[in-house]
Amino acid sequence: MNNQEALDTLNDIRKMMEKSSRFVSLNGASAIVIGLYSCLAAIIAYYILGGISPLSETSSIPMLQINTPGRLRILLIFAAILIGICLLTVILMCRHKALKNNRPFGLDRTAKRLLWNFFLPLTAGGIFCLALLYQQHYGLTSSIMLIFYGIALINASNYTYSNTRYLGYTELALGLADSFIEGYALLFWTVGFGIFHIIYGIWFHFKFEKQAASVA
C-alpha cells in the first residue's frame, strides 16, 4: 500500500467515524419549509396582535404587546400549534432522507445527544418567555426567542452538520440587536425564523445535497 492509498483509507475511516457520531439526516428542504411556515405565522400573528390592514394608509408593524388576556391565549395556542407542525415536518423529512440514503432512522445515541443539546436551551428560553408574558413584560420576548434558539443551534451543531452553528450565530446576533431596538419585534422574529431559515436551507441544499447527488 503506497502513501496515497493509506491516506485515502484514513480519509474513508474519518468520514465513517464522523457519520457514526453525527446526525446527518437533516436537509435543506426542511429549513426552507420551516422558514415559509414562520413567514405565514408572522402574517397571522400580525393580525392577532392588532395589525391594521396593509391596504390602509395608517398601516404599521405592531410591537409584540398584548392588550387583552384573550389575545395572549390565542397567541400561545397558535405558537404551540406552529411548534408542533414544525417538529412533525422536520421528523418526517429527516426520515424520508434517511430511508432514501439507506440509513437507519431512530433515537440512537447521537440523535439523543442532538435532541438534548438542542431542546435544553430552547426549553429554558421558552419557560423564560412564558414567565415574562405572565408578568406582562412583552417587549423582549421576541429577542429572547431568537437568542435561545441561536444557542440551541450552536449546541446542536456538535452532533450534526457543523455549519448549523453559523445559523445559530446569526440568530443570536439578531436577537441581541432586537433587544436594543423598540417597536420591530415581529419584524425581527420574521427575519430570524423565516428569512434566515429559507436562506440557510437554499445554501445547504446546493452546498451538500446537490454535491452528494452529483457524486452519486
Side-chain angles (χ1 to χ4, degrees):
M1 180 181 294
N2 56 37
N3 291 336
Q4 184 60 41
E5 291 177 344
L7 183 60
D8 292 339
T9 301
L10 288 174
N11 287 333
D12 291 338
I13 294 173
R14 179 178 60 83
K15 290 179 181 178
M16 291 176 62
M17 292 179 65
E18 287 179 349
K19 287 182 178 180
S20 64
S21 61
R22 293 180 182 272
F23 187 81
V24 293
S25 294
L26 295 177
N27 55 67
S30 61
I32 295 172
V33 172
I34 289 175
L36 293 174
Y37 286 164
S38 298
C39 290
L40 178 60
I43 295 173
I44 298 173
Y46 178 87
Y47 292 104
I48 293 176
L49 294 171
I52 304 171
S53 170
L55 299 178
S56 172
E57 295 181 357
T58 58
S59 175
S60 62
I61 298 176
M63 296 170 58
L64 190 59
Q65 293 184 352
I66 316 298
N67 297 322
T68 63
R71 283 184 182 175
L72 176 58
R73 285 194 296 269
I74 293 173
L75 199 63
L76 290 176
I77 293 171
F78 179 63
I81 294 173
L82 176 64
I83 292 172
I85 292 174
C86 288
L87 288 175
L88 181 61
T89 299
V90 171
I91 291 172
L92 292 177
M93 297 188 77
C94 287
R95 181 177 179 273
H96 174 74
K97 180 179 178 180
L99 295 177
K100 181 180 178 180
N101 295 326
N102 295 319
R103 293 196 186 104
F105 182 80
L107 285 178
D108 56 9
R109 185 174 62 178
T110 301
K112 289 178 181 178
R113 288 179 177 177
L114 171 67
L115 293 174
W116 173 258
N117 281 271
F118 180 74
F119 280 106
L120 179 61
L122 201 65
T123 302
I127 294 172
F128 188 23
C129 287
L130 289 175
L132 290 176
L133 292 174
Y134 178 75
Q135 298 183 34
Q136 299 183 354
H137 300 305
Y138 307 124
L140 291 176
T141 48
S142 64
S143 60
I144 291 170
M145 290 178 190
L146 291 166
I147 289 170
F148 278 89
Y149 182 61
I151 295 172
L153 289 174
I154 295 169
N155 271 4
S157 66
N158 294 319
Y159 302 97
T160 183
Y161 293 96
S162 60
N163 61 74
T164 307
R165 69 180 183 273
Y166 297 120
L167 178 61
Y169 293 149
T170 57
E171 300 285 358
L172 179 59
L174 188 67
L176 292 173
D178 182 22
S179 65
F180 286 95
I181 301 175
E182 185 178 4
Y184 294 92
L186 186 58
L187 179 60
F188 275 98
W189 191 96
T190 306
V191 172
F193 291 102
I195 304 301
F196 281 0
H197 270 101
I198 295 173
I199 295 174
Y200 174 77
I202 295 172
W203 175 81
F204 185 96
H205 175 75
F206 283 100
K207 182 173 179 61
F208 292 97
E209 295 170 358
K210 281 288 187 180
Q211 289 182 359
S214 62
V215 171

